Amino acid sequence: MISQMRANARITQREALVMLGSTFRFPLEVDDDGSAYLRPTSDTTLEVHVDDDDPLHPLLLTVWHWRGADEAALARDQLQALISHTTGWTIIPTE
């Protein structure tokens, strides 16, 4: 299941992956198709994308959790607090 949030960071996808991975020591994983994501826990992945759907919050952070929607929302809330506290970004849930 997934849960999403957006950040007001104006950086590229690559910059966000490198910064979040190195700051929080989340391992970076790359699939066979070339897509990259971070793994905050064994049950959770964090995908990072940049788009113009919300010009004030262009960085889209998608949290995948394999156990269910409630766990995905909880992981999102925990990551939101951790990332915003450390980076200073304003992060809003999208659901």
Side-chain angles (χ1 to χ4, degrees):
M1 301 305 281
I2 67 167
S3 189
Q4 295 181 319
M5 55 190 162
R6 288 186 164 278
N8 67 340
R10 299 208 179 279
I11 60 178
T12 67
Q13 175 186 12
R14 178 170 168 64
E15 290 169 333
L17 284 169
V18 169
M19 198 260 315
L20 293 171
S22 63
T23 300
F24 300 108
R25 300 193 187 273
F26 297 155
L28 177 66
E29 297 186 11
V30 180
D31 281 339
D32 294 338
D33 65 2
S35 61
Y37 55 89
L38 299 169
R39 183 158 307 269
T41 70
S42 60
D43 294 330
T44 308
T45 59
L46 178 65
E47 292 181 357
V48 177
H49 299 282
V50 177
D51 65 37
D52 294 326
D53 290 345
D54 181 346
L56 297 176
H57 300 89
L59 190 63
L60 177 64
L61 304 167
T62 303
V63 178
W64 291 81
H65 197 289
W66 310 126
R67 292 190 185 156
D70 291 341
E71 289 83 358
L74 179 61
R76 180 204 61 214
D77 293 346
Q78 292 171 339
L79 288 169
Q80 177 183 359
L82 177 68
I83 294 169
S84 66
H85 175 74
T86 303
T87 64
W89 297 345
T90 299
I91 300 177
I92 56 171
T94 61
E95 291 118 19

